[in-house]
Amino acid sequence: MHPHLSTEQRSTIGQALQARRLALQNDLAQHQHGLSRVDHAQEALAQGRDDFAQHAGEREVDMALTDMDVQELAAITRAEQHLQDIHFGTCVDCAQPIPFERLCAEPQSLRCVACASIFERKL
């Protein structure tokens, strides 16, 4: 089996992964004000003791967004670790090559568009 991505394409995807990693890390740092996730949650709770119920929804959204960023960061880390593997860029469901354009837009993609659509409908 020959890789469907050239060395230049893998380099482009690696740069996209690195850029997205830096953006997520920056977002998380700003969002959490440089605190760990636990410290950030404790600070949010401490600030809102008087109006805990009033801001409960905001805190839940805040933590959900942080969770999404952390999950995406983990996916990016996995993609960076496997970027040079021969199977990188191959759909985990149908084993067809994921188009380079899709990998540029979403470099941590594990599935082609068709399989991702089916997978998301199952969720």
Side-chain angles (χ1 to χ4, degrees), residues 26-60:
N26 186 45
D27 288 351
L28 283 168
Q30 287 181 345
H31 182 67
Q32 295 178 345
H33 310 290
L35 300 173
S36 72
R37 180 181 162 84
V38 172
D39 290 339
H40 175 67
Q42 288 175 340
E43 182 181 89
L45 288 172
Q47 289 176 351
R49 290 208 192 278
D50 295 335
D51 52 0
F52 184 82
Q54 184 178 8
H55 294 287
E58 292 173 18
R59 282 190 295 277
E60 285 185 39

Side-chain angles (χ1 to χ4, degrees), residues 15 28 32 35 44 48 52 62 65 71 86 88 91 98 105 107 123:
Q15 291 169 3
L28 283 168
Q32 295 178 345
L35 300 173
F52 184 82
D62 180 54
L65 291 173
Q71 289 173 1
I86 195 167
F88 180 86
C91 178
I98 299 171
L123 295 179

Side-chain angles (χ1 to χ4, degrees), residues 12-21 24 68-83 88-92 98-112 116:
T12 299
I13 293 167
Q15 291 169 3
L17 285 165
Q18 184 178 26
R20 185 63 186 144
R21 168 187 289 292
L24 281 169
M68 288 172 48
D69 285 348
V70 168
Q71 289 173 1
E72 184 177 356
L73 200 52
I76 286 170
T77 299
R78 283 189 301 275
E80 288 174 324
Q81 291 170 344
H82 297 287
L83 183 59
F88 180 86
T90 301
C91 178
V92 297
I98 299 171
F100 175 66
E101 295 74 18
R102 173 162 172 75
L103 291 170
C104 286
E106 193 173 340
Q108 70 275 21
S109 295
L110 296 175
R111 294 174 176 82
C112 65

